[in-house]
Amino acid sequence: MNPITHHPTEETLAAFASGTLDEGRSVVVAVHASLCPACNGKTGRYEAIGGVLLDQTSPAAMKPDALQKVLGLIDTNLPAPIATPEEPLDRYQLGKWRWVWPGVRQRSISVPVVSNIKVFMLKAEPGIQLPHHKHTGYEWTCVLEGAFEHQFGRYGPGDFDEADETLEHKPTICQGATCVCIVALQGNIKFQSGWGRMIQPLLRL
């Protein structure tokens, strides 16, 4: 396995560690961190920094009945705690693979859709070239298997591609293995070529 060379920005890792990212993007970052020891370590350090800052925060006054309310919960029949999943996707349901375009399949992930953000897995066969396109929002991708490449480099297993509405690209699936990715996509894809715009109504992304 080739070394991971593309990572989330420091700002993204800090936001992920502090819990300020939306769930869709958090899932993709969590998958990357589970595959990348370097980013997993950075996330842990950001969480530790956050803990220190929290310890240094001046305590806030509690309501007079706060203790009684907490003690009252002890006798309440609360549901059993949910076990912490071992992998980032363990808590979600995965849909069936469905056709998108010749050689391309998509699989839904049951992350709640918020702010027009959807999360899914994309599988494409070697040699497939996706049309030149941009986005109306962001597109965050982590490669699970295989590889793709565009003008910004080659992205193999564990690599993270953080794109937004300012970026245009034309990914090509590398030869040798089917490429499987997890994607958080906000908004819509906008094809830039005349041919791409012509086939866009046929695509199911």
Side-chain angles (χ1 to χ4, degrees), residues 8 12-13 16 21 24-34 43 140 160:
T12 291
L13 290 176
F16 171 70
L21 279 182
R25 286 185 292 180
S26 290
V27 170
V28 181
V29 176
V31 170
H32 169 79
S34 72
T43 299
W140 288 12
F160 186 91

Side-chain angles (χ1 to χ4, degrees), residues 33-71:
S34 72
L35 301 172
C36 177
C39 288
N40 188 49
K42 287 182 180 180
T43 299
R45 288 192 288 274
Y46 281 126
E47 290 173 343
I49 292 170
V52 171
L53 293 175
L54 185 62
D55 287 342
Q56 294 176 349
T57 302
S58 300
M62 300 179 67
K63 295 182 178 180
D65 61 346
L67 178 60
Q68 287 73 20
K69 286 184 177 181
V70 172
L71 293 175

Side-chain angles (χ1 to χ4, degrees), residues 153-184:
R154 183 184 186 277
Y155 296 76
D159 278 327
F160 186 91
D161 192 9
E162 189 171 335
D164 59 24
E165 67 276 4
T166 66
L167 181 142
E168 297 181 12
H169 54 186
K170 189 178 182 181
T172 299
I173 308 304
C174 297
Q175 297 292 341
T178 299
C179 184
V180 180
C181 303
I182 178 172
V183 181

Side-chain angles (χ1 to χ4, degrees), residues 80-93:
I82 300 174
T84 302
E86 296 182 359
E87 300 294 337
L89 295 180
D90 283 354
R91 71 180 67 194
Y92 302 106
Q93 293 184 342

Side-chain angles (χ1 to χ4, degrees), residues 5-202:
T5 57
H6 300 278
H7 307 271
T9 63
E10 296 293 332
E11 292 80 7
T12 291
L13 290 176
F16 171 70
S18 66
T20 58
L21 279 182
D22 55 80
E23 186 173 359
R25 286 185 292 180
S26 290
V27 170
V28 181
V29 176
V31 170
H32 169 79
S34 72
L35 301 172
C36 177
C39 288
N40 188 49
K42 287 182 180 180
T43 299
R45 288 192 288 274
Y46 281 126
E47 290 173 343
I49 292 170
V52 171
L53 293 175
L54 185 62
D55 287 342
Q56 294 176 349
T57 302
S58 300
M62 300 179 67
K63 295 182 178 180
D65 61 346
L67 178 60
Q68 287 73 20
K69 286 184 177 181
V70 172
L71 293 175
L73 290 174
I74 294 176
D75 297 326
T76 303
N77 293 323
L78 297 175
I82 300 174
T84 302
E86 296 182 359
E87 300 294 337
L89 295 180
D90 283 354
R91 71 180 67 194
Y92 302 106
Q93 293 184 342
L94 305 181
K96 295 181 179 179
W97 288 107
R98 63 179 181 82
W99 184 90
V100 175
W101 189 251
V104 182
R105 300 289 185 272
Q106 182 186 39
R107 188 181 200 183
S108 64
I109 300 176
S110 63
V111 178
V113 178
V114 179
S115 300
N116 200 21
I117 302 163
K118 55 185 176 181
V119 181
F120 55 90
M121 295 174 71
L122 199 66
K123 177 166 65 174
E125 299 301 321
I128 292 290
Q129 186 175 69
L130 301 179
H132 182 200
H133 67 277
K134 62 188 300 186
H135 303 273
T136 59
Y138 58 74
E139 179 191 50
W140 288 12
T141 304
C142 181
V143 181
L144 303 177
E145 301 174 11
F148 69 85
E149 59 185 2
H150 51 52
Q151 68 268 37
F152 299 104
R154 183 184 186 277
Y155 296 76
D159 278 327
F160 186 91
D161 192 9
E162 189 171 335
D164 59 24
E165 67 276 4
T166 66
L167 181 142
E168 297 181 12
H169 54 186
K170 189 178 182 181
T172 299
I173 308 304
C174 297
Q175 297 292 341
T178 299
C179 184
V180 180
C181 303
I182 178 172
V183 181
L185 177 67
Q186 181 188 47
N188 301 308
I189 293 175
K190 296 178 65 177
F191 292 119
Q192 300 302 292
S193 66
W195 177 76
R197 288 189 290 271
M198 183 174 63
I199 68 170
Q200 184 158 7
L202 302 176

